[in-house]
Amino acid sequence: MMEKKTPASSADKALSPKKSKNARHLPARYKPGKFDVICGKGKGCFNHEGNKNFRQIVADHLVPYSEANTKLAKSGIVSSIIMMVRELSPGGGFIKRDAETGSWHEVGDHLAREKVGQTMRDALHHRYRSSTKSKKKRRQIEQAKAHASMETISNGNAEISSKIDDLNSKAALTSFNITDSDRQLAEMFTKANIEILRELNRLKDQRALGARTELDSLGQ
């Protein structure tokens, strides 16, 4: 009579030596420490103290990781992060709880590298988004300053004010005309800017001439 095999639990599958080097079961009453990285989803994992410390470790390695030119160099940084976590928590490391038995186990190198890689990509994405938002905000501030400066100038000169109004009207019309190419729009704005600059220079020369005339009259 053949002996019936007991189905392997999810933890046993995760600890398969072919799939996960350095994977191991943890003691029955093991509790995650402040340097253990819990692998899983949800706020419980994300807010665990060890996961917060882990994200800080990853953040400290973002610059060298993003500047690494080869896969080997990036892989070396990932390995150093894994070693650091395991040294800080020699009893645990990258751990996961088995849903069936409730016991904890170290997930091993394969899943640990996946965890570091995903966290690194998330951090780089967040950093890129933050940088993009910051650049967009600075650009909006500069545009607002330029607009305010142009408003001040145009309010004192009817010719410039007229050209700006004409440019805004053309921009509003062309924004709905899909046949206009980017090149045509660029040419329109360039032409308008040249005309505005010419008017500004004319106004500047006019003021300079008026100042010289006033000085000459005072000299007489």
Side-chain angles (χ1 to χ4, degrees):
M1 185 174 180
M2 294 182 65
E3 185 179 345
K4 188 176 180 181
K5 292 184 179 180
T6 303
S9 69
S10 57
D12 291 330
K13 292 177 182 178
L15 296 178
S16 171
K18 291 183 179 179
K19 295 183 179 180
S20 242
K21 184 181 178 183
N22 291 328
R24 56 190 169 84
H25 288 288
L26 298 175
R29 296 184 179 180
Y30 188 84
K31 292 184 179 180
K34 63 180 181 180
F35 292 111
D36 283 324
V37 179
I38 300 177
C39 299
K41 299 179 180 179
K43 291 183 178 180
C45 297
F46 186 84
N47 294 328
H48 173 62
E49 186 178 4
N51 289 54
K52 292 180 180 179
N53 291 328
F54 168 63
R55 289 196 295 274
Q56 183 56 54
I57 292 173
V58 169
D60 293 340
H61 288 78
L62 274 184
V63 173
Y65 184 87
S66 61
E67 293 178 352
N69 297 321
T70 65
K71 288 185 177 180
L72 182 62
K74 291 181 183 292
S75 178
I77 294 171
V78 170
S79 296
S80 67
I81 292 174
I82 293 173
M83 288 176 61
M84 189 178 299
V85 170
R86 286 175 173 165
E87 286 174 0
L88 289 169
S89 181
F94 291 85
I95 64 175
K96 189 170 185 176
R97 191 171 193 174
D98 181 63
E100 296 175 9
T101 65
S103 62
W104 292 92
H105 61 274
E106 221 285 1
V107 298
D109 293 351
H110 179 70
L111 292 180
R113 296 187 74 84
E114 283 189 356
K115 180 67 175 178
V116 174
Q118 185 60 55
T119 305
M120 189 71 76
R121 288 190 293 273
D122 291 344
L124 287 171
H125 178 66
H126 177 73
R127 184 181 182 189
Y128 173 77
R129 285 184 61 189
S130 298
S131 176
T132 302
K133 286 182 179 180
S134 179
K135 288 178 181 178
K136 184 178 180 181
K137 188 174 182 179
R138 287 200 302 269
R139 187 163 59 248
Q140 289 174 339
I141 292 173
E142 292 300 322
Q143 288 175 344
K145 288 181 179 178
H147 180 72
S149 177
M150 189 58 72
E151 280 283 319
T152 302
I153 295 171
S154 63
N155 286 339
N157 186 279
E159 183 68 22
I160 293 177
S161 181
S162 175
K163 291 183 183 298
I164 292 175
D165 289 341
D166 182 56
L167 179 61
N168 287 332
S169 297
K170 288 180 179 178
L173 289 172
T174 54
S175 64
F176 296 101
N177 189 353
I178 60 174
T179 61
D180 286 322
S181 66
D182 291 341
R183 182 180 60 80
Q184 289 174 315
L185 292 174
E187 288 177 353
M188 182 188 72
F189 277 96
T190 300
K191 182 179 178 181
N193 284 329
I194 290 173
E195 291 176 356
I196 290 171
L197 287 172
R198 282 176 178 169
E199 181 61 23
L200 287 172
N201 286 329
R202 188 191 68 78
L203 183 61
K204 181 180 177 182
D205 293 339
Q206 188 180 57
R207 287 175 177 173
L209 179 61
R212 285 199 299 271
T213 302
E214 186 177 351
L215 287 173
D216 290 341
S217 64
L218 290 174
Q220 294 176 356

